Amino acid sequence: MFFLTLFLVALYFFCFVSFLTGDQPGFVSFLDTIMRRIPFVGQEQLKGVFGDSLRSWMLVVLILASFFLILNMFLRHKKAVDGRIPEVVICMCVALSFAGYYGAAVFMARYEIVMSSAHILYMSTAALSLVMAGINLYGVMKSREKGKKASILYPLSLVLILGIMFFFAGGFRAFRTCSQYSANYGKFFEEDHDEMRERLEKGYVGNYQNQAVETDEGLYFLDYVECDNGVRSIYYQSVKKMDSEGNISEIYANTEYKGIYSGVYSIGYANGYLFIANRNSVIRLDPDTGVTEDVITADDGHEIFDCCVVDNRIYYMQDIISGEERTDYIRDRLYYDKYIMVAEITGGEVQEPELYLADVSMPGWYENADLLQRYIEGETPYNTNTSHTSRYQCIDGTRYAIEDTDYSEGSDNGILVIRDVDNSIVTNIENAGGINISNGRIYYVSLMENGFDICSCALDGSDIVVIDSYEDGRDYRNAFIDDFRIMIGQGKILVTASGYVYGTEYDIINDSMVYVTDLV
């Protein structure tokens, strides 16, 4: 027993050194990629207040346990005390502390364990501590059978000391941090993200990324409009409908020009109504009458930067107004710097919004579709800062997008890029504009010298099929990557081109180009 106890003290020492150096033993969390989680993360995982509190707690527990084990070995050698009960207390305190360490990290801070040498050391130490506690407890029980009694004054004092250390050495602070921060999770964990991801990626995401939504009545999409000042809007200010015959009609138009605040950027459908969003509000639109009503307005000091409608619920992200000083905007332990709200839609009526997730780290611009892909579907986030990206869509960890790494005039910029989960390029298709993934196929526009082809291919970029061709004598090969949209619904493929197209001279398409063909 002497050498086994000595070996346990050595393990405590190695654990102490590991915690003292502050190395991350191997914890990862999806939440750290979609939230700032400053109390947990700091500059990296488990390096915030929470991690520091856990480490300081474990450091105190290990140093006290080592000290009392050595003292207990000395007293047992002098036959001053029956050291078995104190050793049971010491070993159990260490084992329970490690259980608390992992329990707080996994169940409260919501981390997953990535096995490492540090974890092996910690778990082995906890396991051996339990074994030692069991051996000594068995010895105590045998002694009682023989009529021997052992004083419990010393072990009770150990429990008292370790209990005090829990509160003052960081353990209590770590648990309190988790408890307080959990308010930021809102309704996020109440949803089955895996089920939603599997269902929405079959067709909804592609149209959503192209500012369109399909319903039984038709395919609705956002478009530009000529404003009262005679200038074509540079933001979407119109809602149009394509029916099953491919006919297109305008059901709503805002001709008042107020810059970015006059444009809408997302469209959804629920209970017979369309819901469109701008920076100030979410608007309910009756597609039959064209009547609109603001049903959600942005909170004071914030703007609505992203919005989508899924399963009769409106999700929208709010951020501090552009130009305002960005601070840790905390109210009632919630981080309101950037946050997501959700509101139920019942019979067309929008209920009071509730918190879905606060303290989010989303870039906050609709082209990224982070609200839908990251926060509702729970799809793997990607670093989209390596190049300019348009209308990206993720399916099963693979990311599809039109990318532009060269803004210079006259260069072939639009490339359909397929990246794996490590962000490495799997394949790419040059001169592409617009992308929509539907029912296991990629639909995109191949830009040509005199027009464009509407194509489809398999999810790995193979099996390219030309569905239809359009020619108008214009060179589309260098179109800006956001110019083209491709939408699918009512058994049709709808392609629109609006904005800037690079040619011999800087050319502006003043009127939206719309082309409809059959989906095959």
Side-chain angles (χ1 to χ4, degrees):
M1 284 295 295
F2 174 82
F3 291 105
L4 193 58
T5 304
L6 198 61
F7 178 68
L8 189 60
V9 171
L11 286 179
Y12 290 172
F13 172 77
F14 289 126
C15 290
F16 178 86
V17 172
S18 177
F19 282 113
L20 187 64
T21 56
D23 293 335
Q24 216 275 56
F27 289 104
V28 296
S29 175
F30 176 78
L31 293 175
D32 287 345
T33 63
I34 64 174
M35 302 175 71
R36 295 188 306 160
R37 298 232 304 170
I38 292 175
F40 303 97
V41 179
Q43 297 301 314
E44 57 180 292
Q45 282 91 339
L46 232 60
K47 284 296 184 72
V49 173
F50 172 77
D52 291 340
S53 300
L54 279 185
R55 276 189 293 274
S56 63
W57 170 33
M58 292 304 300
L59 285 170
V60 171
V61 168
L62 290 168
I63 196 66
L64 284 177
S66 300
F67 171 77
F68 283 122
L69 273 182
I70 293 173
L71 177 62
N72 194 58
M73 290 169 61
F74 175 78
L75 294 177
R76 289 182 70 174
H77 179 70
K78 295 293 186 179
K79 302 187 184 303
V81 297
D82 183 351
R84 289 171 298 187
I85 292 182
E87 200 158 315
V88 169
V89 174
I90 296 168
C91 291
M92 284 301 299
C93 283
V94 172
L96 291 175
S97 295
F98 273 111
Y101 172 80
Y102 281 105
V106 174
F107 298 106
M108 301 189 72
R110 300 180 184 272
Y111 279 103
E112 295 179 6
I113 299 173
V114 178
M115 194 54 64
S116 65
S117 57
H119 284 310
I120 294 174
L121 173 63
Y122 299 163
M123 293 177 181
S124 300
T125 301
L128 184 58
S129 296
L130 281 175
V131 171
M132 287 292 289
I135 292 174
N136 282 282
L137 186 61
Y138 178 77
V140 170
M141 300 299 294
K142 284 294 185 181
S143 296
R144 287 184 176 181
E145 290 178 6
K146 296 179 180 179
K148 296 181 180 180
K149 293 184 179 180
S151 172
I152 62 170
L153 182 62
Y154 181 38
L156 283 178
S157 65
L158 293 181
V159 172
L160 179 62
I161 292 172
L162 290 170
I164 293 174
M165 287 300 99
F166 171 78
F167 285 93
F168 289 95
F172 177 73
R173 182 173 57 173
F175 282 88
R176 184 180 61 183
T177 298
C178 288
S179 176
Q180 292 180 343
Y181 190 83
S182 62
N184 290 278
Y185 298 135
K187 302 179 75 66
F188 179 80
F189 288 106
E190 296 180 13
E191 297 188 348
D192 187 345
H193 300 283
D194 291 336
E195 185 274 332
M196 296 181 76
R197 180 169 61 251
E198 181 179 352
R199 176 163 45 87
L200 295 176
E201 286 179 347
K202 293 180 179 179
Y204 180 85
V205 176
N207 278 337
Y208 172 80
Q209 270 292 61
N210 287 275
Q211 290 77 47
V213 61
E214 185 184 18
T215 71
D216 292 338
E217 290 74 27
L219 177 73
Y220 297 92
F221 63 99
L222 303 181
D223 207 351
Y224 303 95
V225 69
E226 183 176 329
C227 297
D228 294 336
N229 59 5
V231 176
R232 185 183 69 91
S233 63
I234 60 174
Y235 304 103
Y236 301 124
Q237 294 184 214
S238 167
V239 177
K240 295 181 179 179
K241 172 185 176 182
M242 181 186 73
D243 62 23
S244 59
E245 301 297 322
N247 301 313
I248 295 175
S249 58
E250 186 175 75
I251 64 170
Y252 165 83
N254 173 21
T255 58
E256 183 181 8
Y257 182 73
K258 294 182 179 180
I260 193 170
Y261 289 96
S262 58
V264 294
Y265 52 79
S266 72
I267 183 170
Y269 180 85
N271 295 161
Y273 290 92
L274 294 170
F275 294 87
I276 56 179
N278 58 32
R279 292 292 185 92
N280 296 318
S281 61
V282 178
I283 303 166
R284 183 179 61 197
L285 168 63
D286 187 329
D288 297 325
T289 64
V291 175
T292 62
E293 180 184 355
D294 291 351
V295 291
I296 294 173
T297 55
D299 291 342
D300 291 342
H302 288 75
E303 297 174 316
I304 297 175
F305 267 76
D306 206 348
C307 178
C308 63
V309 178
V310 178
D311 294 341
N312 294 328
R313 290 190 291 270
I314 300 175
Y315 301 83
Y316 62 99
M317 193 274 285
Q318 298 192 107
D319 194 2
I320 292 175
I321 293 176
S322 301
E324 296 288 330
E325 181 180 358
R326 186 172 295 280
T327 59
D328 286 337
Y329 202 66
I330 304 176
R331 298 199 310 264
D332 299 328
R333 301 190 302 274
L334 297 179
Y335 289 77
Y336 276 104
D337 187 8
K338 190 179 294 185
Y339 56 102
I340 301 170
M341 302 292 287
V342 60
E344 296 282 346
I345 305 171
T346 306
E349 296 297 321
V350 178
Q351 307 304 311
E352 187 70 23
E354 298 179 79
L355 179 68
Y356 181 72
L357 194 68
D359 196 29
V360 303
S361 59
M362 180 164 104
W365 189 241
Y366 69 86
E367 285 288 20
N368 291 325
D370 284 330
L371 174 60
L372 177 60
Q373 297 266 262
R374 290 190 183 191
Y375 295 92
I376 298 176
E377 294 183 24
E379 185 59 84
T380 304
Y382 284 85
N383 177 13
T384 58
N385 297 324
T386 55
S387 62
H388 189 68
T389 305
S390 176
R391 314 190 195 286
Y392 87 81
Q393 297 159 57
C394 291
I395 295 181
D396 296 332
T398 302
R399 175 171 169 263
Y400 307 82
I402 304 297
E403 295 188 2
D404 181 3
T405 58
D406 186 356
Y407 290 95
S408 61
E409 186 174 336
S411 64
D412 296 341
N413 293 331
I415 302 175
L416 195 163
V417 177
I418 302 174
R419 296 179 180 270
D420 61 19
V421 70
D422 297 320
N423 214 24
S424 301
I425 296 178
V426 176
T427 188
N428 60 72
I429 301 173
E430 295 186 354
N431 295 331
I435 177 176
N436 191 321
I437 300 177
S438 178
N439 295 317
R441 298 281 293 181
I442 306 172
Y443 295 86
Y444 66 97
V445 177
S446 178
L447 307 179
M448 313 295 286
E449 184 176 359
N450 297 311
F452 57 81
D453 290 337
I454 300 174
C455 305
S456 75
C457 67
L459 293 179
D460 61 0
S462 64
D463 187 27
I464 296 176
V465 176
V466 177
I467 298 173
D468 201 351
S469 298
Y470 171 85
E471 292 186 4
D472 63 359
R474 186 185 297 272
D475 189 347
Y476 285 101
R477 289 175 297 175
N478 299 306
F480 189 59
I481 62 173
D482 288 337
D483 286 342
F484 279 86
R485 291 185 294 158
I486 182 167
M487 295 154 273
I488 297 175
Q490 303 297 303
K492 306 287 184 181
I493 299 176
L494 170 64
V495 176
T496 66
S498 302
Y500 306 105
V501 175
Y502 293 116
T504 305
E505 297 179 356
Y506 201 69
D507 192 8
I508 300 178
I509 302 177
N510 289 311
D511 296 318
S512 299
M513 188 282 297
V514 178
Y515 185 75
V516 179
T517 189
D518 291 329
L519 175 65
V520 293

